Amino acid sequence: MYRFFFYLCITKTLNMEQNLIRKNMWNTAAKAGLVLGAVSSAYMFITQLMAGSTGFLITILSFLLWAVKFGGCIWLMSFFMKKHVAAHPEVDNKGTFSLGMAIALLSALVYSAAAFANIAFISGDAISEQVNLTMQQMGSMMDSNSIALMETYMEKLPQITFFSNLIYCFVFGTVLSYILSRNIPSRDPFANYKPDQQ
């Protein structure tokens, strides 16, 4: 009877610890997802402002901005994973990967929502003008079915943009979190080593 009671107390304590770690994981993922989504969204709007400009310096600046965004997102993902592991030393590589997937999902949602809002409300007119100009230039090479398909595509562009960005960013973030989580926390290569006993 005492053993059963002791087992129940230990199980309940472990479940409470797991729930607390899971709650903290989602809190960390929400903060990290917001930061990563904001960085990617800022990059999208900055490059959109630069889109009308041409020249060698603009090309170099665009590449540098992309490199900073790309490297910064990798660094931020690693930073939040390491911070979570430092706060919860009992988290293993699997738990770190779960955190990375949650960050990937939430940051993908933030960025996809910003891209949707950009096309649907902020820059929709400019994008429609560009598509109309392209259709006028290519109109002689397109038949009526192609033109109708293009018009249907333009009507659904915000939704297509949202879901394509959501899938792409989530997959990219999941792959990145898998790569990073293999060494966060760092593994001891000699953990299972047992010297020969003579």
Side-chain angles (χ1 to χ4, degrees):
M1 184 69 166
Y2 291 114
R3 288 181 183 174
F4 179 72
F5 180 71
F6 181 71
Y7 174 77
L8 279 178
C9 289
I10 294 293
T11 306
K12 189 166 179 93
T13 303
L14 289 174
N15 286 340
M16 287 172 54
E17 287 178 10
Q18 289 297 322
N19 288 338
L20 183 62
I21 291 170
R22 198 172 294 122
K23 181 181 174 186
N24 287 336
M25 182 194 83
W26 280 103
N27 286 340
T28 302
K31 291 173 190 170
L34 190 60
V35 171
L36 284 165
V39 167
S40 298
S41 300
Y43 170 77
M44 174 185 66
F45 287 116
I46 290 169
T47 53
Q48 187 173 311
L49 290 173
M50 294 169 47
S53 306
T54 56
F56 180 72
L57 288 176
I58 294 296
T59 305
I60 295 294
L61 184 60
S62 295
F63 175 76
L64 287 175
L65 280 172
W66 175 85
V68 167
K69 189 250 332 180
F70 186 76
C73 287
I74 292 172
W75 182 83
L76 283 169
M77 176 79 87
S78 176
F79 170 78
F80 281 108
M81 288 173 138
K82 288 176 181 175
K83 185 177 177 184
H84 183 69
V85 168
H88 304 283
E90 64 276 7
V91 174
D92 58 359
N93 300 97
K94 185 179 176 185
T96 308
F97 176 59
S98 297
L99 172 69
M101 283 185 65
I103 292 171
L105 175 65
L106 297 175
S107 64
L109 278 171
V110 170
Y111 177 70
S112 300
F116 175 86
N118 183 39
I119 291 177
F121 307 112
I122 301 169
S123 302
D125 294 336
I127 292 169
S128 296
E129 285 177 22
Q130 288 178 338
V131 170
N132 289 336
L133 183 65
T134 304
M135 286 179 69
Q136 287 172 2
Q137 292 172 348
M138 310 259 313
S140 59
M141 296 186 284
M142 298 172 71
D143 61 358
S144 58
N145 290 334
S146 299
I147 292 171
L149 183 66
M150 196 70 168
E151 288 172 353
T152 304
Y153 173 78
M154 281 307 297
E155 288 173 8
K156 297 180 180 177
L157 186 60
Q159 294 88 345
I160 292 169
T161 300
F162 177 83
F163 287 108
S164 61
N165 279 321
L166 183 66
I167 292 167
Y168 170 76
C169 292
F170 177 67
V171 169
F172 178 81
T174 300
V175 171
L176 176 62
S177 65
Y178 175 75
I179 293 167
L180 293 174
S181 69
R182 294 179 59 83
N183 292 316
I184 304 173
S186 35
R187 294 190 241 182
D188 181 6
F190 302 109
N192 295 325
Y193 174 72
K194 292 180 182 175
D196 294 336
Q197 295 180 356
Q198 296 179 352

